[in-house]
């Protein structure tokens, strides 16, 4: 009877430990979802302390380490962006993204979204800076493609600004050619401009 009773108590303790570990793990998941990665890390660690060989908690603990590293990298990238060191910031973001290659799931998707938001802000800042450097028409065309590729609502205004500069350039140059009665050259300039701004009434008004 002593052995049976002891066995029963042991299983009860083990059951309680498992329940406690799962509760700590659930709290860790919640903290991670809210972006509190260091707090999540502590809770996952406590969960493992309570119940050893808790594989799910061990995996989450490792991933929280990566999340903290990524968060630090993104903060570094933001500082570099402020200093207009865009290429260095881009490299840091690329390396941070590579840390997620062997993972998947909702938590990973959350981190990917966070990285892509920072990447988008960086690209917008870089294009805005380049736009202030008197870019050539060829530069503007490339910048327009880059701006259109940014999946962020903050890029809409920038995209339109670049497009308007292409319109203004094409309109001015085409008008010059029309004044010189170089109608074919004017038409080519208008058609080229319309490739990048197909809904431009300003350019369309010059078509012969």
């Amino acid at each position: 009877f002593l052995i049976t009773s002891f066995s029963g108590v042991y299983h009860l303790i083990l059951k309680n430990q498992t329940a406690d570990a799962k509760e700590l793990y659930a709290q860790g998941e919640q903290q991670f979802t809210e972006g509190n990665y260091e707090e999540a890390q502590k809770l996952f660690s406590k969960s493992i302390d309570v119940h050893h060989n808790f594989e799910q908690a061990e995996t989450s603990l490792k991933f929280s380490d990566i999340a903290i590293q990524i968060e630090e990298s993104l903060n570094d990238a933001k500082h570099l962006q402020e200093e207009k060191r865009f290429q260095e910031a881009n490299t840091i973001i690329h390396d941070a993204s590579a840390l997620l290659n062997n993972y998947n799931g909702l938590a990973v998707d959350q981190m990917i979204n966070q990285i892509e938001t920072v990447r988008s802000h960086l690209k917008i800042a870089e294009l805005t800076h380049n736009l202030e450097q008197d870019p050539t028409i060829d530069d503007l065309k490339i910048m327009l493609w880059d701006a259109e590729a940014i999946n962020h609502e903050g890029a809409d205004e920038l995209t339109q600004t670049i497009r308007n500069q292409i319109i203004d350039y094409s309109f001015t140059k085409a008008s010059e050619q029309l004044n010189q009665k170089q109608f074919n050259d004017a038409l080519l300039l208008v058609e080229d401009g319309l490739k990048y701004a197909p809904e431009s009434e300003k350019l369309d008004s010059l078509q012969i």
Side-chain angles (χ1 to χ4, degrees):
F1 295 114
L2 180 61
I3 295 174
T4 303
S5 298
F6 178 78
S7 177
V9 170
Y10 173 77
H11 285 294
L12 179 61
I13 292 173
L14 187 61
K15 184 177 180 181
N16 288 338
Q17 286 178 337
T18 301
D20 290 343
K22 287 183 177 180
E23 175 60 26
L24 288 166
Y25 178 81
Q27 292 176 16
E29 279 191 316
Q30 182 61 37
Q31 290 296 323
F32 193 100
T33 300
E34 295 174 3
N36 303 322
Y37 304 126
E38 290 186 2
E39 188 60 33
Q41 183 187 50
K42 292 175 184 177
L43 288 164
F44 292 142
S45 183
K46 288 180 180 178
S47 177
I48 295 169
D49 290 340
V50 170
H51 182 58
H52 299 296
N53 299 322
F54 190 175
E55 292 185 7
Q56 197 168 1
E58 289 174 354
T59 299
S60 295
L61 178 60
K62 291 178 182 177
F63 189 69
S64 64
D65 291 340
I66 291 174
I68 290 171
Q69 184 178 342
I70 288 175
E71 188 173 48
E72 291 174 349
S73 294
L74 295 182
N75 286 333
D76 290 342
K78 291 175 185 177
H79 291 312
L80 289 169
Q81 175 184 316
E82 292 173 1
E83 296 174 359
K84 303 189 186 306
R85 296 160 63 183
F86 302 114
Q87 191 56 51
E88 292 174 66
N90 223 350
T91 298
I92 286 178
I93 293 173
H94 177 271
D95 292 344
S97 181
L99 294 174
L100 299 174
N101 287 346
N102 296 323
Y103 294 89
N104 56 61
L106 293 176
V108 180
D109 292 341
Q110 177 181 325
M111 294 302 303
I112 290 174
N113 289 337
Q114 189 175 345
I115 290 171
E116 288 308 312
T117 296
V118 175
R119 196 197 304 273
S120 294
H121 286 161
L122 173 64
K123 193 62 182 177
I124 290 170
E126 183 177 9
L127 286 173
T128 300
H129 172 73
N130 291 342
L131 198 57
E132 297 169 351
Q133 311 306 309
D134 295 325
T136 67
I137 184 61
D138 290 333
D139 291 333
L140 286 171
K141 292 173 182 177
I142 295 172
M143 289 168 65
L144 180 62
W145 292 331
D146 289 341
E148 288 178 330
I150 300 173
N151 186 24
H152 191 278
E153 59 182 13
D156 294 343
E157 184 178 349
L158 174 63
T159 301
Q160 191 56 49
T161 298
I162 297 171
R163 182 175 286 112
N164 287 341
Q165 289 203 17
I166 293 175
I167 292 171
D168 290 343
Y169 174 89
S170 300
F171 183 87
T172 299
K173 292 298 181 181
S175 296
E176 290 174 358
Q177 293 300 313
L178 284 174
N179 289 335
Q180 297 173 19
K181 301 187 184 305
Q182 301 296 321
F183 302 117
N184 287 337
D185 290 342
L187 182 60
L188 289 174
L189 284 162
V190 170
E191 290 176 344
D192 186 66
L194 286 170
K195 291 177 184 177
Y196 302 92
E199 298 178 4
S200 173
E201 294 179 3
K202 186 174 182 178
L203 287 178
D204 199 46
S205 68
L206 292 180
Q207 292 204 86
I208 302 170

